[in-house]
Amino acid sequence: MIPQEIIRQKRNGATLSPADIDAFIGALGRGELAESQIGAFAMAVWFRGMTREETVALTLAMARSGDTLSWDGIGRPVADKHSTGGVGDNVSLMLAPIAAACGLAVPMISGRGLGHTGGTLDKLESIPGYGITPDAARFRKVVEEVGCAIIGQTGALAPADGKLYAVRDVTATVDSVPLITASILSKKLAAGLETLVLDVKIGSGAFMTSQEEAETLARSLVEVANGGGVKTSALITDMNQPLADAAGNVVELQNCLDFLNGNKAGTRLETVVLAFASEMLMQAGIAANVAEAEGRAREALTSGKAADIFGRMVHALGGPEDLLEHPDRHLVSAPVRKPVLAAADGWLGGCDARGIGVSVIDLGGGRRRPQDKIDHRVGFSDILPLGTKVSKGDRIATVHAADEASAEKAVADLSANYRLVDEAPAASPVIIGRI
């Protein structure tokens, strides 16, 4: 196999054979390709696309590039959820323990931030001691005993995807349907799932900015996953504003703890979390309809069962035992906090959610290069939802920064990001469609 020949063929618009794709991904997984070759392949796919057959071949090759997991004998339906990425999207942190409290086994393999979007693993690494790469035996033990475990890819699980994932982040090739499909599903197929629910984001803070793009990606994911033997559906959700009222790592982790403690009822975030919990329960056959499924999920949340499972998961993976009870003992805060104030009276009529994600990166809370270290402390909290009526001088968000200069810049950026209008804007749904 000559890597540059495969790159040339795809660059020129040829359809790659499964054998060529398998050979290229095999070499990638073994570390035999230069980063420039990986980036060139990703860019060729971005421009030329892939057929459904090529995408299936790419997904299966990446899933086979390392170990695969088996959950025989676990005694629960094995289910998971994955998001295509957004701003303030910390759904997985609450969803996994809710689903586990309802009787599912949730071996959730998550990723780091991509582009302007936050990463579940980066948020979990805000917790001191939390081990995101346990060995297979410990991973299984935690899922068996707790019900869920949220971890990252180990070097042995879909290693080709991990290497391609890092290069995509810094080569402007994130928003490619075949690459997104293969990246997400290779991990899920390798994880031995029975069912999967996908959150395909649409809007200014998503990689898919139109209904057509989102539906195209959702269909690609659902068809390829079902073709790979995993019962899969997708919900299309709005990402024209941050989903949580926080964007960053520690601040979103704190938001998760507040949610599990019952302090985020009635929010768009709660709507999305309960919708995905319901979908997971129905797919697994635990609930017969939406009303029953949502009732079970809501009871797991309000009873404190989900919070208990989250705390047990954190401790089982090396984190502190009392995180929920005493987060201030363990979560490090940014040294500078500044309010972002409304410049005039009006309603919050719109924002650029992507711009908010970029501002988090500017604060140091995201990566420009794969090797960059992030500052988990920084970000935004207290973000008001669109449609909120404000008076001049009201707080619309709080900046968490490492120093005064970056705080001042973030305040200015966020102030410029929001559009004030004279009349209350029409409410927009957060769940847009289902595939």
Side-chain angles (χ1 to χ4, degrees):
M1 187 273 298
I2 302 174
Q4 54 266 41
E5 278 301 298
I6 292 175
I7 296 167
R8 182 187 64 80
Q9 289 178 46
K10 179 46 63 182
R11 181 202 67 190
N12 292 344
T15 298
L16 300 177
S17 70
D20 282 342
I21 292 172
D22 201 54
F24 189 89
I25 296 302
L28 192 161
R30 294 189 298 272
E32 296 171 0
L33 301 182
E35 190 171 285
S36 58
Q37 292 174 313
I38 302 170
F41 176 80
M43 189 62 75
V45 171
W46 191 95
F47 274 109
R48 292 296 190 173
M50 279 185 155
T51 66
R52 184 56 42 80
E53 291 72 22
E54 284 179 294
T55 306
V56 170
L58 179 64
T59 302
L60 292 175
M62 287 165 59
R64 291 193 301 258
S65 67
D67 295 341
T68 56
L69 302 178
S70 171
W71 301 99
D72 290 344
I74 200 162
R76 295 179 172 209
V78 182
D80 197 4
K81 164 264 178 190
H82 189 88
S83 169
T84 57
V87 180
D89 177 12
N90 58 359
V91 169
S92 294
L93 299 178
M94 296 82 77
L95 178 60
I98 290 173
C102 294
L104 297 179
V106 188
M108 186 175 285
I109 298 172
S110 297
R112 298 192 181 279
L114 265 181
H116 65 281
T117 67
T120 298
L121 297 183
D122 298 324
K123 296 161 195 174
L124 287 170
E125 285 191 324
S126 303
I127 303 171
Y130 191 100
I132 62 168
T133 54
D135 60 30
R138 188 175 187 186
F139 184 32
R140 183 182 179 93
K141 187 176 190 303
V142 175
V143 174
E144 285 180 335
E145 295 181 355
V146 177
C148 65
I150 308 175
I151 69 164
Q153 287 174 261
T154 66
L157 193 69
D161 171 64
K163 294 172 183 178
L164 181 56
Y165 191 96
V167 171
R168 285 170 56 217
D169 189 22
V170 293
T171 56
T173 55
V174 168
D175 53 343
S176 159
V177 169
L179 295 180
I180 294 171
T181 300
S183 178
I184 292 171
L185 296 181
S186 61
K187 295 188 286 285
K188 301 307 178 185
L189 294 180
L193 301 178
E194 296 171 357
T195 63
L196 174 64
V197 181
L198 296 155
D199 182 358
V200 178
K201 301 291 188 186
I202 177 176
S204 66
F207 294 117
M208 305 293 119
T209 57
S210 73
Q211 183 86 17
E212 181 181 6
E213 288 177 329
E215 289 180 354
T216 296
L217 175 58
R219 288 195 181 95
S220 175
L221 288 163
V222 169
E223 291 173 8
V224 172
N226 279 299
V230 178
K231 184 179 180 182
T232 301
S233 63
L235 300 182
I236 298 174
T237 66
D238 176 72
M239 186 39 67
N240 282 303
Q241 60 177 306
L243 182 57
D245 60 14
N249 293 297
V250 160
V251 289
E252 285 191 56
L253 201 286
Q254 182 62 61
N255 178 271
C256 159
L257 302 182
D258 291 341
F259 186 105
L260 291 171
N261 284 323
N263 298 323
K264 299 296 176 181
T267 59
R268 288 164 62 87
L269 179 61
E270 184 191 54
T271 298
V272 171
V273 171
L274 293 179
F276 278 96
S278 299
E279 191 78 8
M280 291 174 74
L281 295 178
M282 288 188 294
Q283 275 195 345
I286 286 180
N289 53 54
V290 173
E292 180 189 352
E294 183 174 328
R296 285 174 176 261
R298 194 177 291 278
E299 193 277 332
L301 179 61
T302 58
S303 68
K305 292 177 185 175
D308 178 66
I309 286 176
F310 183 84
R312 289 168 55 206
M313 178 190 75
V314 166
H315 185 53
L317 288 168
E321 189 173 10
D322 59 345
L323 179 65
L324 273 91
E325 296 80 9
H326 303 289
D328 291 344
R329 293 180 183 174
H330 307 291
L331 302 181
V332 181
S333 299
V336 179
R337 297 189 187 188
K338 285 189 177 295
V340 181
L341 305 179
D345 297 347
W347 281 263
L348 297 179
C351 70
D352 173 15
R354 178 187 173 89
I356 296 172
V358 170
S359 292
V360 173
I361 296 174
D362 284 341
L363 282 165
R367 298 177 183 81
R368 291 181 173 85
R369 302 172 301 166
Q371 65 270 31
D372 285 350
K373 292 187 176 181
I374 64 174
D375 187 341
H376 291 89
R377 305 169 298 173
V378 303
F380 302 101
S381 68
D382 310 313
I383 303 171
L384 296 181
L386 298 184
T388 301
K389 189 177 190 302
V390 296
S391 299
K392 182 178 180 180
D394 284 352
R395 182 193 300 257
I396 61 175
T398 301
V399 172
H400 299 244
D403 54 61
E404 289 285 343
S406 59
E408 292 290 351
K409 182 179 185 303
V411 167
D413 288 346
L414 202 64
S415 297
N417 189 298
Y418 276 85
R419 178 169 52 89
L420 286 170
V421 295
D422 295 331
E423 296 182 0
S428 59
V430 65
I431 308 292
I432 296 171
R434 183 183 187 276
I435 300 293

